[in-house]
Amino acid sequence: MRVAIMQPTYLPWSGYFGLIESVDLFVFLDNVQFDKRGWQQRNQIKTANGPQWLTIPVLSKGVRNQKINQVKIDSSSKFSDKHIKSISHNYNNAPFYNLIEKELFNTIHNSSDSLSETNIEIIHTLSKLLGVSTPTISSSALNCSGIKADMLVSICQEVGASEYLSPPGSRVYLEKSDAFKMAKIPVKYFQFEHPNYQQLFGDFVENMSVVDILMNCGNQSLDFIKNGSLLLDEESFTNNVKDS
């Protein structure tokens, strides 16, 4: 069973769903430290004035070193109304807006006060709209331990993984550890070559939220994502990085 592990992020980019679609089980890494500068509470959509950040305000006064699944949304911000308005304003002329907006906006509007639960529910809705049906579980529901590579191995062992598919960013600490080798769990790397498609507002801009491709490409979105998804062994991944 091939497994991937990633933190639950807000309105993720297309590559995130390419990773989910490429595995048999996807684990939300929600019991590690929250990073205010990370993607856990923000992402970008494309507008007539360029990329625009959508950020979920969270409660931070008096709390330090929170894990992702401990972070609470600042409900007084009414972020859901603002984000729905921004998405609607910028995509209401997109070809597939009417097929996407109801289910997506309902999920955003009915979000809980938990940041991780909100992100996971939105990811599930976006996966459904894309046609991705990979089962998911949260690491906080498991008895995993350790940090970095050791934690990933612990998760893989608990869920019975026979192969781990790593996002490129994890290679930095995976290559410094022999944890996967000792556990005899093969590692492959996921690389995403961003597809070009017809967007609103002029020249193509990469790395927007997956909302962008869904609004513009509808039921063809997953085909674009699959075509950009590569699964590489370490040597091939290294050579690809050198050549890029």
Side-chain angles (χ1 to χ4, degrees):
M1 179 173 66
R2 180 183 295 145
V3 173
I5 304 167
M6 282 282 286
Q7 296 174 8
T9 62
Y10 182 53
L11 295 174
W13 73 309
S14 297
Y16 192 100
F17 293 91
L19 182 63
I20 295 177
E21 196 277 331
S22 299
V23 296
D24 303 302
L25 177 68
F26 186 84
V27 181
F28 293 110
L29 188 63
D30 66 339
N31 58 346
V32 295
Q33 186 165 337
F34 171 65
D35 179 4
K36 286 185 180 180
R37 297 164 296 180
W39 297 97
Q40 298 144 14
Q41 68 178 123
R42 63 178 188 165
N43 223 302
Q44 292 178 300
I45 59 171
K46 190 181 180 189
T47 77
N49 298 313
Q52 174 186 324
W53 286 104
L54 299 181
T55 303
I56 302 179
V58 299
L59 299 175
S60 57
K61 187 176 181 179
V63 291
R64 297 179 63 184
N65 301 322
Q66 294 185 95
K67 293 181 179 178
I68 298 171
N69 63 344
Q70 296 172 329
V71 177
K72 300 297 182 183
I73 294 172
D74 181 0
S75 58
S76 67
S77 69
K78 296 184 178 179
F79 89 91
S80 61
D81 293 337
K82 296 174 183 176
H83 289 192
I84 289 169
K85 183 178 179 180
S86 292
I87 295 171
S88 179
H89 174 73
N90 289 288
Y91 289 102
N92 62 2
N93 289 322
F96 296 93
Y97 175 83
N98 290 333
L99 295 178
I100 304 301
E101 55 94 13
K102 183 176 181 181
E103 196 160 359
L104 175 60
F105 292 170
N106 280 343
T107 304
I108 296 174
H109 182 72
N110 294 317
S111 58
S112 75
D113 64 348
S114 164
L115 179 65
S116 63
E117 289 178 9
T118 292
N119 286 346
I120 290 168
E121 283 303 310
I122 291 173
I123 290 167
H124 284 158
T125 293
L126 291 167
S127 293
K128 179 182 176 182
L129 291 168
L130 285 166
V132 175
S133 57
T134 304
T136 67
I137 191 171
S138 296
S139 59
S140 59
L142 305 172
N143 295 315
C144 51
S145 60
I147 59 172
K148 295 186 177 180
D150 290 328
M151 172 172 266
L152 300 181
V153 167
S154 178
I155 292 170
C156 285
Q157 289 175 324
E158 185 163 353
V159 300
S162 56
E163 181 180 273
Y164 175 61
L165 184 60
S166 173
S170 298
R171 182 170 182 250
V172 175
Y173 57 81
L174 288 184
E175 65 184 4
K176 295 179 181 179
S177 170
D178 61 355
F180 276 95
K181 184 177 180 181
M182 294 291 291
K184 297 182 179 180
I185 299 175
V187 176
K188 284 189 177 178
Y189 288 91
F190 177 82
Q191 184 166 307
F192 191 66
E193 296 182 353
H194 206 295
N196 280 28
Y197 52 87
Q198 188 66 45
Q199 287 179 325
L200 301 176
F201 312 123
D203 294 342
F204 187 79
V205 179
E206 293 186 347
N207 303 330
M208 297 296 96
S209 164
V210 74
V211 170
D212 188 82
I213 193 171
L214 273 168
M215 293 290 190
N216 287 297
C217 301
N219 57 14
Q220 291 185 309
S221 299
L222 186 57
D223 289 335
F224 279 109
I225 291 172
K226 285 181 177 180
N227 289 339
S229 300
L230 301 175
L231 277 60
L232 307 170
D233 58 30
E234 186 170 1
E235 182 179 356
S236 299
F237 178 73
T238 300
N239 291 336
N240 259 35
V241 171
K242 287 178 181 178
D243 294 339
S244 61

